[in-house]
Amino acid sequence: MSPDADQNTVRLTDGTRGIRAAAGVLRAGGLVAFPTETVYGLGADARQGRAVAGVFAAKGRPRFNPLIVHVADIAAARALATFDGRAEALAAAFWPGPLTLVLPRSGGATADLVTGGLPTLALRVPAHPTAQALLSAFGGPVAAPSANPSGLVSPTTADHVLAGLDGRIAAVLDGGACPVGVESTIVGLVDTTPRLLRPGGVPAEALAAALGAELGPPPDGITAPGQMASHYAPAARLVLDAAREAAPADAVWLGFGPLDGRRGLSLSETGDLREAAAHLFAHLRTLDTLAPVVFVDPVPGHGLGAAINDRLARAAAPR
Ligand code: TXA
Ligand code: MG
């Protein structure tokens, strides 16, 4: 626990009582971590500026990084931003699910701090049943970044959340391990080109198919911490695309496919990218406690592999 940790963080189970208690905390302006299909989010009522400020404080997050607003359904999303035909098409195809849309903000319901002064708003309708139950019980927009101290590895279990934020938040709603394991794909729909702002749980190939157009690159300049060079950072140094012959015999590996007797953990023994994404952050945490250097097998770049390689590259970046 950090020196300024000063709350008794409650672990709530994801039954009716836990959901109701979590919604009550949000209503009172408190912070609740909750599971989504991607990673655990650190939720606050998006309409209460003080609650949103608490999210930045708990995470130690730079103020200029805007937050994703989570809502229960597309109707609630339409009340907060302007949906054009492209936004409607992507929402129809992928919501609820691991897709975030950045759209022109409309109406003033969300606190200015959520968007960090931007004229756009990031919106997502999560599919996880516990997230859905919480959003329905709460009945309003929930601002939620990943529930980890800023810059560190995202949490995919309630234990991961407590490892980083115990004492700094009111509660964590425990819904088990997150099935997707990497954050949502973020698509910007604010100019004539749809832009891939962050690869994630929905593969870019699927988005391009639904749009009937390839996605463009992010605009110049950093608009998301996920775009900063160093992010998702474990303490260990990662050696990416490592060749087995070049590594020492006692090297610790983050494998893809069979380990074949090497020390370490495999993201997926069978080379399945979905399984690999689901294991990525938990395995990084475990290996971090085992060795100062971790050698990483090459991971294919298609489908969910794009998001996995993106997170690995940022986890490996100098800092
Ligand atoms: O899967 C996810 O997206 C998870 C779960 C909890 O929903 N959330 C998540 O939040 O990854 P966070 O804060 O760790 O990442 C949100 C990203 C940031 O990189 C932020 O800069 C970007 O979304 N973002 C938010 N609003 C934006 C906006 N208006 N324009 C561009 N990027 C935006
Ligand atoms: Mg994050």
Side-chain angles (χ1 to χ4, degrees):
M1 265 198 319
S2 67
D4 51 344
D6 58 1
Q7 303 181 47
N8 187 8
T9 303
V10 179
R11 187 195 290 256
L12 299 168
T13 54
D14 65 350
T16 314
R17 287 182 54 180
I19 299 283
R20 201 179 295 145
V25 171
L26 291 176
R27 242 172 248 127
L31 307 184
V32 182
F34 63 97
T36 79
E37 66 275 31
T38 59
V39 301
Y40 275 71
L42 178 58
D45 183 345
R47 300 161 300 195
Q48 297 187 44
R50 283 194 56 169
V52 176
V55 170
F56 289 97
K59 279 181 66 86
R61 181 181 178 109
R63 276 300 143 96
F64 59 80
N65 293 335
L67 305 177
I68 296 174
V69 171
H70 299 65
V71 289
D73 54 35
I74 186 169
R78 285 196 197 102
L80 299 172
T82 304
F83 278 66
D84 62 12
R86 304 170 303 180
E88 291 288 350
L90 291 185
F94 299 106
W95 279 357
L99 173 68
T100 294
L101 297 177
V102 173
L103 302 172
R105 190 181 170 197
S106 70
T110 52
D112 287 334
L113 202 51
V114 170
T115 52
L118 293 172
T120 55
L121 186 63
L123 282 164
R124 159 156 144 73
V125 177
H128 196 290
T130 306
Q132 274 288 330
L134 177 62
L135 290 168
S136 303
F138 176 58
V142 173
S146 51
N148 53 281
S150 192
L152 301 185
V153 178
S154 299
T156 54
T157 68
D159 284 344
H160 294 166
V161 172
L162 291 171
L165 297 176
D166 193 10
R168 297 173 151 261
I169 63 178
V172 55
L173 193 50
D174 189 346
C178 302
V180 176
V182 290
E183 295 86 345
S184 61
T185 305
I186 306 181
V187 173
L189 295 173
V190 295
D191 60 39
T192 51
T193 309
R195 297 181 183 278
L196 180 64
L197 303 184
R198 178 178 72 183
V202 176
E205 295 92 326
L207 293 162
L211 282 169
E214 291 301 316
L215 294 167
D220 289 343
I222 291 171
T223 55
Q227 294 164 27
M228 291 177 190
S230 173
H231 204 70
Y232 313 103
R237 189 168 70 81
L238 300 187
V239 180
L240 302 186
D241 297 323
R244 293 189 193 196
E245 318 75 66
D250 65 346
V252 167
W253 285 85
L254 180 61
F256 183 80
L259 283 177
D260 296 328
R262 294 173 292 165
R263 288 180 69 203
L265 293 170
S266 178
L267 290 169
S268 168
E269 290 281 340
T270 60
D272 179 89
L273 286 167
R274 279 176 185 251
E275 185 184 22
H279 287 155
L280 177 64
F281 291 138
H283 281 6
L284 280 175
R285 282 170 188 266
T286 304
L287 295 178
D288 216 9
T289 64
L290 292 182
V293 182
V294 174
F295 293 78
V296 185
D297 274 340
V299 176
H302 60 86
L304 283 178
I308 295 169
N309 281 307
D310 172 80
R311 305 305 187 270
L312 284 171
R314 293 176 205 287
R319 49 188 180 271

